[in-house]
Amino acid sequence: MPFIPRADLVPNTVAYETEPLVKATGFREYDARWLFGPDINLLGIQALGLGLGTYIQSLGHSRIVVGHDFRSYSLTIKQALSLGLIEAGCEVLDIGLALSPTAYYAQFDLDAPCVAMVTASHNENGWTGVKMGAARPLTFGPDEMGALRDIVLGAKFQPRDGGKVTRIEGMAERYIADVARRAQITRPLKVVAACGNGTAGAFVPDALRRMGVAVVYEMDCELDWTFPKYNPNPEDHEMLHEMSKAVKEFGADLALGFDGDGDRCGVVDDTGEEIFADKIGLMLARDLAPLNPNATFVVDVKSTGLYATDPILEANGATTVYWKTGHSYIKRKSAELGALAGFEKSGHFFLNEPLGRGYDCGLTAAAAILAMLDRNPDKKLSQLKDALPVAYTSLTMSPHCADEEKYQVVQKVVAEYEALAAKGGQILGRSIREVITVNGVRVALDDGSWVLVRASSNKPEIVVVVESTRSADDMRELFHKEVKPRLAAHPQVGKYNQEI
C-alpha cells in the first residue's frame, strides 16, 4: 500500500490504523502543530519524519538532534518521528526529555546541523508539534515549511539505507552548565521560578542556582502533563497573576516564568507587576547599549514603539529594526543583521555572542536579566522599569478565527487601514503616521500610539495588541472603540481568549 498521507481519516477505523493522517493546516509558518488524533495519527507523524529526512538529505545533511517535551504522548510521537527519519537514512541523535533550547544547544555541542524538537510548547493538552531547523541557530521559516509540506502531502519521499539512532546521555547537564556561565551574579537575589508544571520545571531551578541566585522559590516546578492549574504560558494573565502573588508572599526580587518547552521567559518585578517582554527587552537594550556601542536590536511588530525614540539607545548609536512576529523570523533577522539581541513580545529572547548562541532560550534570557540586576546593585527591577519612557501596552489578545479564514480576514483589515490612511482618516482623533504591513498591519498614530492586527502563526486565532502614549484608559479605548468593533464586523472572528 502506498504511504500517501490523507486528510479524511477518522479514529477507530481500519484505515486510521493502516494509513497516515496528516491535515495540511498543521504546517504553520515556522513550525508544525496538530491536534493529535483528529488532525494527525502516528503513521502521519512517521510520514512527517520521512518527509523531514528527505528534505534535509536534499540539503546535504543527515545528522539530526531529536528531543521531546513532557506530555503524556510526546515520547510516542518522537519515536514515530524518529522511525520516519531513520527510513530516510538519517542519524537520529536522541537527547531524551528536553527543552527546545536544550535541543538547539545540542546542535552546537554535537556539531549537528539539524534539529527536530517534539513539543506543543504552551498549547493546551491534545496538541503536538515539531520545531525544526537545518542551519543552527535558525529554525524553519515559511520557505522551508512550504517545501516540507509539499514533500509530505505529495508523498515525495526518498527512503535511504543507513539510518540509525544514537542515544545521547548528559545533554541536560551540559546545557545547564552553558546557560549558567552566562551569569555569575554576586548580588543576593531572591527569585521565584514559575514553570506551570511544564517541562522547564525539571531544569530551571538548578540552572538559576548555578547562576548564583541566593534563594530560588520553586513555583509549580513539579512535572505534571495535565497542567492542573493553567497552561505553562508566561504571557497568560492567569500564570502572571500567580507569579505576582508569589513575589508578594515571599518578598522576592522578581519572578521568572517559563513556558512549556522553556524557550520563553516572562517577568514579574519586585512590586508584583508584570513586565512584558518587549519592555524587558528595552531595559536590557538600555543596559547593554553603553557596553556595546552602535549595537543593532531587532524587535517584533507587537513590541513597544519606545525603542525608536529611546534617548539612551540613541546616545549610544543603537539601531532598532521592527520585524515580523514569530520566533523564526526574529531569530533569522537577528542573525542576518548581526544584531546583539532580538526581542519578541511573546517572551522569546535571541541573544547573540557574548550573551548567547542566537537561539531563543528562556534561561539565557533569565541570565541576561540577572546580569543586568547585578550591574545595577542599587536598583530594584521596578526602578529600572520606572526609568523607561511611559507607554501603556495591552496584553496580547486573541479572538478565535479558523486557520482556513484568519489570513483572509487580516488581509481585509489591512486593506481597511490602508484605505483609511490614504484618505487622511483618523483613529480616536489622531492622524495615522505610518501603516506597517510586514506582518499583518501595525498602524502608528501621530502621538506614538499604535494598534496591531495579525494572524497567529501557530493557532486558529487573530492577534491584537494596542499601545497608548497617553494613558491606560486610552489604551483600553483603542481596543474597545477601534480594534474590537472593526474585527466584530467580520463574522469569522469569534470569542477572545482574554480582553483588557
Side-chain angles (χ1 to χ4, degrees):
M1 182 180 295
F3 203 55
I4 301 173
R6 293 173 54 180
D8 59 344
L9 304 179
V10 293
N12 202 26
T13 62
V14 171
Y16 188 88
E17 292 299 312
T18 56
E19 297 181 63
L21 166 68
V22 184
K23 291 195 176 178
T25 51
F27 294 94
R28 310 297 172 116
E29 287 183 51
Y30 43 81
D31 59 16
R33 298 201 192 181
W34 291 271
L35 279 167
F36 179 46
D39 294 346
I40 196 166
N41 62 6
L42 287 174
L43 287 173
I45 295 289
Q46 186 177 337
L48 177 68
L50 178 54
L52 176 59
T54 297
Y55 179 59
I56 67 171
Q57 289 276 12
S58 74
L59 301 176
H61 303 313
S62 60
R63 284 164 55 83
I64 182 166
V65 172
V66 176
H68 70 281
D69 70 6
F70 190 81
R71 291 179 187 251
S72 60
Y73 42 81
S74 289
L75 176 57
T76 305
I77 299 275
K78 183 183 73 174
Q79 290 170 331
L81 184 77
S82 298
L83 192 60
L85 287 164
I86 293 165
E87 190 178 353
C90 295
E91 179 184 3
V92 174
L93 305 170
D94 187 349
I95 64 171
L97 181 70
L99 302 177
S100 290
T102 312
Y104 303 151
Y105 166 76
Q107 291 177 268
F108 290 85
D109 187 67
L110 301 174
D111 193 23
C114 303
V115 66
M117 176 65 196
V118 173
T119 179
S121 187
H122 65 278
N123 281 31
E124 295 83 0
N125 267 315
W127 286 89
T128 190
V130 187
K131 293 181 177 178
M132 296 161 276
R136 63 185 182 231
L138 307 181
T139 40
F140 283 177
D143 292 344
E144 295 91 344
M145 288 304 300
L148 176 62
R149 180 193 62 230
D150 291 347
I151 291 170
V152 174
L153 298 183
K156 301 172 185 175
F157 306 120
Q158 294 184 5
R160 297 177 184 232
D161 294 331
K164 65 175 183 176
V165 173
T166 302
R167 288 179 55 84
I168 306 297
E169 301 293 340
M171 186 53 64
E173 164 61 31
R174 297 201 290 280
Y175 159 71
I176 289 173
D178 185 67
V179 293
R181 70 181 176 86
R182 305 288 178 181
Q184 289 299 308
I185 61 174
T186 57
R187 179 179 175 179
L189 292 173
K190 295 183 289 184
V191 178
V192 174
C195 296
N197 302 112
T199 318
F203 308 101
V204 163
D206 181 30
L208 293 179
R209 291 185 179 104
R210 291 205 215 175
M211 290 177 195
V213 175
V215 181
V216 176
Y217 299 104
E218 299 186 21
M219 177 181 145
D220 303 324
C221 290
E222 307 82 10
L223 301 192
D224 187 338
W225 56 47
T226 68
F227 303 146
K229 297 181 179 177
Y230 39 77
N231 279 11
N233 179 5
E235 200 181 13
D236 186 84
H237 188 70
E238 194 172 3
M239 184 169 180
L240 287 166
H241 179 70
E242 292 303 311
M243 289 164 62
S244 176
K245 280 173 54 179
V247 165
K248 293 172 182 175
E249 178 184 349
F250 297 118
D253 294 289
L254 71 159
L256 298 169
F258 300 85
D259 73 331
D261 65 330
D263 60 3
R264 292 190 296 137
C265 181
V267 182
V268 168
D269 72 15
D270 50 285
T271 71
E273 289 294 315
E274 63 206 62
I275 311 178
F276 294 120
D278 56 338
K279 300 283 180 65
I280 282 286
L282 181 56
M283 292 159 65
L284 288 171
R286 286 161 63 97
D287 181 60
L288 292 167
L291 305 174
N292 301 271
N294 304 312
T296 296
F297 299 99
V298 178
V299 296
D300 77 310
V301 293
K302 286 175 18 181
S303 294
T304 179
L306 293 174
Y307 288 89
T309 57
D310 187 81
I312 294 177
L313 299 189
E314 185 178 355
N316 289 280
T319 301
T320 301
V321 175
Y322 284 88
W323 197 240
K324 300 176 184 179
T325 289
H327 63 82
S328 180
Y329 296 125
I330 304 297
K331 186 161 29 185
R332 191 172 296 256
K333 198 67 173 179
S334 298
E336 175 190 321
L337 298 178
L340 180 64
F343 307 115
E344 192 187 20
K345 195 184 179 201
S346 63
H348 291 275
F349 295 77
F350 309 91
L351 302 165
N352 286 309
E353 294 292 358
L355 307 172
R357 296 176 182 267
Y359 50 76
D360 38 342
C361 172
L363 277 167
T364 302
I369 293 162
L370 295 171
M372 174 178 67
L373 285 169
D374 208 44
R375 281 191 291 271
N376 296 271
D378 58 336
K379 297 282 180 63
K380 296 180 178 180
L381 189 58
S382 59
Q383 292 172 315
L384 293 174
K385 177 193 69 179
D386 291 344
L388 297 178
V390 177
Y392 303 87
T393 314
S394 73
L395 296 162
T396 298
M397 298 167 284
S398 299
H400 179 82
C401 191
D403 284 320
E404 297 85 354
E405 297 174 328
K406 63 188 181 185
Y407 291 103
Q408 290 86 346
V409 171
V410 170
Q411 270 186 334
K412 291 176 182 176
V413 174
V414 170
E416 290 171 17
Y417 277 123
E418 287 180 325
L420 183 64
K423 69 180 185 182
Q426 294 187 328
I427 290 177
L428 301 190
R430 279 157 281 190
S431 301
I432 295 173
R433 189 184 73 217
E434 186 180 17
V435 178
I436 301 171
T437 58
V438 296
N439 188 201
V441 60
R442 176 172 167 139
V443 185
L445 307 180
D446 58 14
D447 66 347
S449 303
W450 53 269
V451 303
L452 171 78
V453 177
R454 57 177 287 273
S456 170
S457 300
N458 51 31
K459 294 181 80 174
E461 295 174 344
I462 288 172
V463 175
V464 174
V465 183
V466 300
E467 180 174 271
S468 169
T469 58
R470 297 184 177 185
S471 67
D473 285 341
D474 183 61
M475 171 189 72
R476 285 187 278 271
E477 287 193 349
L478 284 170
F479 172 65
H480 287 287
K481 294 185 178 180
E482 167 55 35
V483 181
K484 188 178 180 182
R486 186 176 294 277
L487 284 175
H490 300 273
Q492 304 94 328
V493 178
K495 184 179 178 181
Y496 285 75
N497 67 333
Q498 57 186 359
E499 295 185 25
I500 51 173

